[in-house]
Amino acid sequence: RQRQMCIRDRVIANDGENLGVINTNEAISMAKNQGLDLIEIAPNANPPVCKIIDYQKFLYTQKKKKKAVLRYI
């Protein structure tokens, strides 16, 4: 799902390094070059915060964490 994005975003690298405020198109290119995704994690911040991550891996780990929590309830 895509949406209209702001012109500039604060970008966080996959390893947690703050890359600063950069052009959205440049951030998308950086993510694609690394074989990763650019995900907006704080849309209401000024400027919005995006992170370069492997989105499928992120979803998998979230699902695993949820399963582990439910196991102890």
Side-chain angles (χ1 to χ4, degrees), residues 40-65:
E40 189 173 49
I41 57 173
N44 296 328
N46 188 16
V49 179
C50 296
K51 189 168 186 179
I52 297 174
I53 61 172
D54 181 345
Y55 191 63
Q56 292 304 318
K57 183 178 178 182
F58 171 77
L59 290 177
Y60 174 76
T61 55
Q62 292 294 60
K63 186 176 177 182
K64 226 172 134 175
K65 286 179 186 177

Side-chain angles (χ1 to χ4, degrees), residues 17-70:
E17 178 187 357
N18 184 353
L19 301 176
V21 179
I22 59 176
N23 182 296
T24 301
N25 290 331
E26 186 180 337
I28 292 170
S29 290
M30 290 170 62
K32 285 185 179 183
N33 288 341
Q34 296 174 35
L36 300 171
D37 305 295
L38 182 69
I39 306 299
E40 189 173 49
I41 57 173
N44 296 328
N46 188 16
V49 179
C50 296
K51 189 168 186 179
I52 297 174
I53 61 172
D54 181 345
Y55 191 63
Q56 292 304 318
K57 183 178 178 182
F58 171 77
L59 290 177
Y60 174 76
T61 55
Q62 292 294 60
K63 186 176 177 182
K64 226 172 134 175
K65 286 179 186 177
K66 186 176 179 181
K67 238 182 190 180
V69 169
L70 291 176

